[in-house]
Amino acid sequence: MSEYKRETGILTLSLADAQNFHRTADHKLGENPSIEFYADKLRNFGYDVTRVSKDELDVKASEDEIYEFLSGQLIYL
């Protein structure tokens, strides 16, 4: 489960939530990318990923922002 800490502005994003949010076409259908895939994806788009572990990462962003990014919702803005 993902958790956002308002006082630090850091979202701890679980691998399961990242995979559930992810709806863009940059991976094969049925493929479950690793947490490193999401860390690299976020970094490539300018997000500050501060920690990566086996099944979660910390990123300086809100859950809504990351959901919009991973789901492809930002393309409609």
Side-chain angles (χ1 to χ4, degrees):
M1 181 101 189
S2 297
E3 179 184 344
Y4 179 69
K5 295 181 182 109
R6 182 175 293 197
E7 47 293 337
T8 62
I10 292 182
L11 172 69
T12 299
L13 179 65
S14 71
L15 178 57
D17 281 349
Q19 291 171 344
N20 288 334
F21 291 168
H22 194 190
R23 300 287 183 251
T24 58
D26 59 357
H27 70 288
K28 295 177 184 172
L29 188 61
E31 177 185 85
N32 289 321
S34 68
I35 198 69
E36 290 82 13
F37 171 86
Y38 293 105
D40 289 343
K41 182 175 180 70
L42 290 165
R43 285 183 187 118
N44 289 338
F45 279 85
Y47 288 98
D48 184 12
V49 176
T50 59
R51 182 185 66 87
V52 178
S53 71
K54 179 181 159 207
D55 58 354
E56 64 184 20
L57 60 79
D58 287 349
V59 59
K60 275 202 122 158
S62 71
E63 188 170 29
D64 291 342
E65 187 177 352
I66 297 303
Y67 170 77
E68 289 173 354
F69 173 72
L70 291 176
S71 70
Q73 297 297 313
L74 290 177
I75 65 170
Y76 300 110
L77 298 178

